[in-house]
């Protein structure tokens, strides 16, 4: 009897071989041997047998081990022992695991032998859950080595597949990378059988050493199976597929890269979620395009925490040939995977920073395209990207909680996380550092959100639609809850970068600074190896924490220069026209004359349209002129039961933006449109769709902010048969109709000619005259 994890353990050794050690050995594993004998394990009471381990020699000098358990070990195992013969109850007499060497014994050439095959009849991690062994082997694992004593690769294949359309894993493969740290595995309890241990699995630390492949977890009373090569530690490359090779899918590949020689922690993890053409194992309908996405995360100054992540998606096939343990799959190989990912042009590119670091083995989950909501737009089935890119959910949880376990998996940003995205065009992922806010950003990002917690967030934008952010807004949601998005809210502070000028706008203060220091960004590429990772850390060291979002006026301190302080003032409606920045200034106090900005000297209190033209570096202040708004109705021809477009065109005759609420009334039924902002001197359009149900005329009237501005009478016509025929045709129906008509006419002419020819022939043969 001995004790493991606080529980008494009883081991009975059944000697069956010709050469037996003496009975006074120090340890129980020395009483027998691991080539011919059996070991019976009871945990707790002596009669509570939970596992039997049986060893035997097989041909050509190889050996075999069989593990017997009932219900994975959670229930007692019934057996009889008679004259060194163990007989297990017939219903339980199926080994859960059969392990065989392919050459030599358990110890080969003085090292543990990792040239082995394991057959599993129970829970394997592959296929459907199976808790009881029943004689039908459902998976086979093969392990191989190139250096004695180190498992180099491992493959696992499902043999019993009861439901070929279910989304469970059918094939796995792992291999150690050339740059992997030294292989470490916890010592086995049985020195001559180096794959088995007993203990408390919750105390196992994968980042110190791999647990043994077969592990009896005492508190759970269960026999566990662990990967020989390792699990999600540095220097590991894996395939986990719901489809059989070679067209693998799901996590194929998943790479864990270390840039510190002795660390078992990864500093870069590249996790794909890929599904080839026609694959439906992700739960989506079949597509003629592959669905490929990557989560590409790397560590910052603290190599134990994730700091940055790229989230990438598109229809790029993974079609390189990768061979692991003799099995070839379609994927991207481990050494080229990082550079391959960052060198592709993706239609969806997102960037995430965990401002305080993020623990875990698989990288950053936040703000990811690896969810079904992303694919309708990526596959052309929707005209807009998923809503969460522009307006992610603002979780009030810290980043220590995985977002994929939250209320809105993949669609939210935890407190202290920043997310930026580009879905405008195909782009390589390129980053840059901004001296304005002191942070790393995604080049060409359409928008960015930094979750500060409790409904506070920073919105970043590029109002000139260039590659770099030039506007930052500190916003607060008055009503904040578990379903709150980064959408709307009151702007408390803002900063704008116009190149030579930086502008701060608060609730009652505006600062315009002529910068003597060029705030040009530093462009970066994502790290792909040890050298580029170290270079990235060096370049971004001053930009990892950023400037305080609560004190945006201090952002201007980095840029000394002539400054215009406007007290009792507000700035609104900052925009870019293609050559000029425009904004509305509400000036409540005289400017003074301490620092003069050309074009803004001594402007008096009032409301102004401010413009700044970067080409000539000139400001101009023009008194604001509001409205009026002029509008009219545009109506498409209407036919019964056919959708009709009704458009309201609103022109702003003023020089400053104005907001309008449009309402369309159709025969006494009001349709309320969205509130729209019309820039000064511009025209905005709002369309309504309406389907007439009768052929009578309809009376239309439109209002802006409750004031009528236009009316119209719409006549509704019947559909003709030809129009109904066109409606029933597929796209480009008129071309089809014309082609069908020509073919029909040609067929009729041909039929008539053939008929006449046959009649003339018959007449000639009978001598008749026509």
């Amino acid at each position: 009897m001995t004790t493991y994890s606080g529980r008494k353990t009883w081991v009975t050794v059944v000697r069956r071989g010709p050469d037996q050690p003496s009975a006074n050995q120090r340890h129980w594993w020395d009483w027998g041997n691991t080539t011919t004998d059996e070991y019976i394990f009871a945990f707790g009471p002596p009669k509570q047998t939970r596992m039997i381990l049986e060893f035997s020699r097989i041909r050509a000098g190889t050996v075999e081990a069989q593990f017997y358990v009932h219900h994975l070990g959670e229930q007692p195992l019934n057996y009889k022992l008679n004259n060194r013969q163990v007989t297990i109850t017939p219903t339980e007499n199926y080994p859960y695991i059969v392990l065989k060497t392919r050459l030599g014994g358990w110890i080969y050439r003085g090292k543990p032998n990792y040239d082995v095959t394991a057959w599993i009849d129970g829970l394997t991690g592959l296929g459907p859950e199976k808790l009881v062994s029943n004689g039908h082997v459902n998976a086979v694992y093969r392990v191989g080595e190139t250096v004695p004593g180190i498992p180099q690769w491992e493959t696992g294949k499902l043999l019993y597949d009861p439901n070929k359309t279910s989304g469970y894993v059918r094939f796995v493969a792992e291999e150690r990378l050339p740059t992997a740290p030294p292989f470490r595995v916890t010592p086995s309890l049985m020195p001559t059988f180096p794959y088995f241990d007993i203990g408390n699995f919750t105390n196992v630390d994968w980042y110190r050493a791999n647990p043994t492949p077969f592990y009896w977890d005492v508190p759970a009373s269960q026999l566990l199976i662990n990967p020989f090569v390792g699990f999600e530690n540095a220097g590991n490359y894996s395939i986990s597929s719901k489809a059989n090779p070679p067209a693998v899918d799901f996590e194929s590949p998943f790479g864990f890269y270390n840039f510190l020689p002795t660390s078992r922690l990864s500093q870069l993890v590249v996790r794909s979620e890929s599904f080839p053409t026609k694959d439906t194992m992700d739960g989506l309908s079949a597509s003629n395009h592959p669905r490929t996405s990557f989560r590409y995360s790397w560590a910052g100054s603290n190599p134990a925490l994730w700091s940055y992540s790229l989230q990438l998606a598109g229809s790029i096939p993974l079609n390189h040939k990768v061979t692991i343990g003799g099995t070839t799959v379609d994927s991207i190989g481990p050494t080229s995977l990082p550079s391959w990912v960052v060198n592709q042009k993706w239609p969806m590119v997102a960037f995430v920073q965990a401002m305080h670091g993020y623990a875990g083995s698989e990288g950053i989950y936040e703000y990811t395209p690896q969810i079904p909501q992303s694919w309708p737009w990526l596959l052309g089935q929707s005209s807009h990207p998923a809503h969460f890119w522009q307006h992610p959910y603002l979780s009030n949880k810290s980043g220590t909680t995985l977002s994929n376990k939250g209320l809105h998996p993949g669609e939210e940003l935890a407190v202290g996380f920043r997310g930026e995205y580009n879905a405008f065009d195909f782009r390589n992922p390129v980053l840059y550092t901004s001296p304005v806010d002191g942070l790393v950003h995604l080049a060409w990002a359409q928008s960015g959100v930094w979750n500060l917690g409790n409904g506070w967030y920073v919105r970043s934008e590029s109002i000139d639609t260039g590659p770099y952010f030039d506007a930052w807004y500190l916003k607060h949601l008055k009503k904040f809850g578990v379903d709150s998005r980064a959408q709307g809210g009151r702007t408390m502070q803002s900063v704008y970068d116009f190149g030579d000028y930086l502008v701060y706008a608060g609730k009652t203060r505006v600062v315009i600074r002529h910068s003597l220091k060029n705030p040009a960004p530093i462009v970066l590429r994502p790290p792909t190896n040890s050298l580029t990772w170290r270079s990235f850390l060096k370049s971004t060291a001053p930009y990892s924490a950023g400037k305080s979002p609560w004190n945006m006026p201090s952002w201007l301190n980095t840029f000394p220069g002539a400054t215009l302080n406007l007290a009792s003032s507000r700035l609104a409606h900052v925009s870019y026209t293609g050559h000029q920045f425009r904004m509305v200034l509400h000036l409540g106090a005289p400017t003074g004359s301490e620092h003069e900005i050309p074009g803004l000297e001594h402007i008096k209190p009032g409301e102004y349209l401010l413009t700044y033209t970067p080409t000539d570096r000139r400001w101009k202040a023009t008194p604001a002129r509001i409205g009026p708004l002029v509008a009219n109705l545009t109506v498409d021809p209407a036919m019964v039961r056919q959708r009709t477009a009704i458009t309201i065109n609103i022109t702003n005759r003023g020089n400053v933006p104005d907001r309008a609420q449009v309402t369309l009334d159709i025969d006494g039924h009001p349709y309320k449109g969205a509130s729209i902002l019309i820039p000064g001197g511009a025209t905005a359009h709002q369309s309504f769709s309406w389907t007439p149900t009768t052929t009578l005329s309809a009376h239309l009237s439109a209002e802006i902010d409750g004031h009528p501005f236009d009316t119209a009478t719409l006549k509704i016509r019947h559909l003709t048969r030809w129009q109904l025929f066109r409606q029933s045709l597929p796209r480009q129906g008129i071309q089809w109709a014309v082609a069908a008509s020509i073919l029909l006419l040609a067929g009729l002419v041909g039929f008539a000619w053939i008929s006449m020819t046959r009649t003339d022939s018959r007449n000639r043969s009978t001598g008749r005259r026509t």
Side-chain angles (χ1 to χ4, degrees), residues 341-361:
V341 171
V342 301
N343 285 326
Q344 304 302 309
K345 292 185 181 295
W346 300 92
M348 170 57 70
V349 180
F351 171 69
V352 181
Q353 180 181 3
M355 297 295 293
H356 308 295
Y358 180 77
S361 61

Side-chain angles (χ1 to χ4, degrees), residues 74-404:
E74 296 176 355
Q75 297 179 10
L77 188 65
N78 298 313
Y79 74 99
K80 292 181 180 180
L81 176 60
N82 185 15
N83 192 25
R84 297 187 181 180
Q85 183 66 39
V86 176
T87 304
I88 303 175
T89 303
T91 57
E92 304 166 13
N93 193 22
Y94 303 108
Y96 173 25
I97 304 167
V98 176
L99 180 71
K100 295 181 180 181
T101 61
R102 294 196 290 272
L103 180 66
W106 306 123
I107 304 297
Y108 187 62
R109 298 177 182 174
K111 300 283 187 178
N113 188 352
Y114 287 108
D115 191 8
V116 297
T117 302
W119 289 266
I120 314 296
D121 180 5
L123 192 64
T124 68
L126 300 178
E129 188 175 78
K130 182 180 178 183
L131 303 180
V132 179
S133 304
N134 59 4
H136 298 290
V137 175
N138 55 315
V140 60
Y141 283 80
R142 292 182 173 84
V143 186
E145 62 182 20
T146 54
V147 177
I150 299 177
Q152 180 64 32
W153 58 265
E154 177 177 1
T155 62
K157 185 176 181 180
L158 186 66
L159 300 178
Y160 175 64
D161 193 355
N163 189 345
K164 298 185 183 299
T165 60
S166 290
Y168 43 67
V169 175
R170 292 170 171 81
F171 174 78
V172 294
E174 295 186 67
E175 71 172 349
R176 286 172 50 81
L177 302 180
T179 57
F183 178 72
R184 295 176 186 170
V185 63
T186 55
S188 172
L189 279 181
M190 306 171 74
T192 57
F193 184 64
Y195 322 104
F196 176 62
D197 197 5
I198 299 175
N200 185 343
F201 197 72
T202 59
N203 296 332
V204 171
D205 184 357
W206 287 84
Y207 297 110
R208 297 188 62 179
N210 293 353
T212 56
F214 309 112
Y215 191 97
W216 180 267
D217 186 8
V218 173
S221 186
Q222 188 174 112
L223 180 61
L224 306 178
I225 303 175
N226 301 309
F228 282 75
V229 176
F231 179 75
E232 296 190 355
N233 49 267
N236 185 288
Y237 172 89
S238 66
I239 301 288
S240 182
S241 176
K242 299 178 181 181
N244 287 309
V248 291
D249 59 15
F250 190 43
E251 292 178 332
S252 303
F254 205 153
F256 300 83
Y257 300 87
N258 63 304
F259 303 142
L260 301 175
T262 60
S263 174
R264 289 174 59 86
L265 292 171
S266 301
Q267 284 76 56
L268 171 66
V269 63
V270 185
R271 190 256 187 186
S272 80
E273 189 163 295
S274 60
F275 294 89
T277 301
K278 303 298 183 183
D279 194 318
T280 60
M281 290 301 176
D282 57 351
L284 301 178
S285 55
S287 170
N288 291 324
H289 303 281
R291 296 184 286 271
T292 303
S293 59
F294 279 94
R295 188 170 67 235
Y296 190 104
S297 305
W298 64 96
S301 57
N302 185 345
L305 298 175
W306 305 111
S307 291
Y308 305 99
S309 182
L310 289 169
Q311 309 284 344
L312 312 147
S315 296
I316 304 176
L318 308 183
N319 52 14
H320 294 191
K321 299 300 179 184
V322 181
T323 301
I324 301 177
T327 302
T328 300
V329 300
D330 296 331
S331 187
I332 305 296
T335 57
S336 59
L337 178 62
S339 57
W340 183 92
V341 171
V342 301
N343 285 326
Q344 304 302 309
K345 292 185 181 295
W346 300 92
M348 170 57 70
V349 180
F351 171 69
V352 181
Q353 180 181 3
M355 297 295 293
H356 308 295
Y358 180 77
S361 61
E362 296 190 356
I364 295 175
Y365 283 83
E366 306 276 337
Y367 201 58
T368 176
Q370 295 185 333
I371 53 176
Q373 295 92 315
S374 299
W375 287 104
W377 176 78
L378 284 165
L379 295 175
Q381 300 162 355
S382 170
S383 58
H384 299 285
H387 192 50
F388 75 88
W389 291 114
Q390 180 75 10
H391 304 293
Y393 288 98
L394 298 177
S395 169
N396 222 22
K397 296 180 180 179
S398 69
T400 57
T401 302
L402 294 179
S403 68
N404 68 334

Side-chain angles (χ1 to χ4, degrees), residues 13-21 28-39 53-57 106 190 192:
V13 181
V14 181
R15 297 175 174 176
R16 302 187 304 173
D19 301 322
Q20 300 296 336
W28 58 262
W29 50 82
D30 295 323
W31 299 347
N33 64 60
T34 55
T35 57
T36 61
D37 296 348
E38 292 188 67
Y39 295 77
L53 178 53
E54 177 185 318
F55 294 100
S56 59
R57 286 193 182 97
W106 306 123
M190 306 171 74
T192 57

Side-chain angles (χ1 to χ4, degrees), residues 507-664:
K507 291 191 293 183
T508 59
R509 177 187 172 204
V510 175
V511 179
I512 302 176
R513 177 164 294 176
H514 185 193
S515 173
L516 301 178
K517 179 181 177 182
N518 185 3
I522 301 173
V523 178
L524 305 165
R525 293 302 303 273
T528 58
N529 53 40
S530 176
L531 181 63
T532 55
W533 177 68
R534 295 175 191 276
S535 175
F536 183 91
L537 294 188
K538 183 178 179 180
S539 299
T540 59
Y543 301 93
S544 58
K547 299 177 182 178
S548 171
W550 308 106
N551 186 16
M552 283 188 167
S554 67
W555 293 16
L556 276 59
N557 294 343
T558 312
F559 309 95
T563 304
L564 182 63
N565 284 288
L566 304 177
S568 302
S569 301
R570 292 180 291 111
L571 202 65
H573 303 307
V574 180
S575 62
Y576 186 71
T577 64
H579 71 285
Q580 187 180 75
F581 291 96
R582 297 165 63 94
M583 63 216 77
V584 178
L585 173 67
H586 302 268
L587 180 61
T591 61
S593 58
E594 182 180 353
H595 291 104
E596 292 185 350
I597 301 295
L600 302 180
E601 302 94 338
H602 308 296
I603 57 175
K604 298 178 181 179
E607 188 171 38
Y608 295 89
L609 170 67
L610 289 190
T611 60
Y612 175 71
T613 307
T615 53
D616 58 14
R617 302 177 182 179
R618 293 289 297 176
W619 288 87
K620 183 178 181 181
T622 305
R625 186 177 71 255
I626 301 175
L629 299 179
V630 179
N632 67 290
L633 280 165
T634 302
V635 184
D636 286 349
M639 289 179 286
V640 67
R641 292 187 295 277
Q642 299 299 304
R643 183 174 295 179
T644 298
I646 303 171
T647 302
I648 300 175
N649 313 293
I650 310 168
T651 300
N652 184 355
R653 296 287 178 83
N655 64 355
V656 295
D658 200 356
R659 187 170 294 278
Q661 177 74 57
V662 178
T663 302
L664 175 67

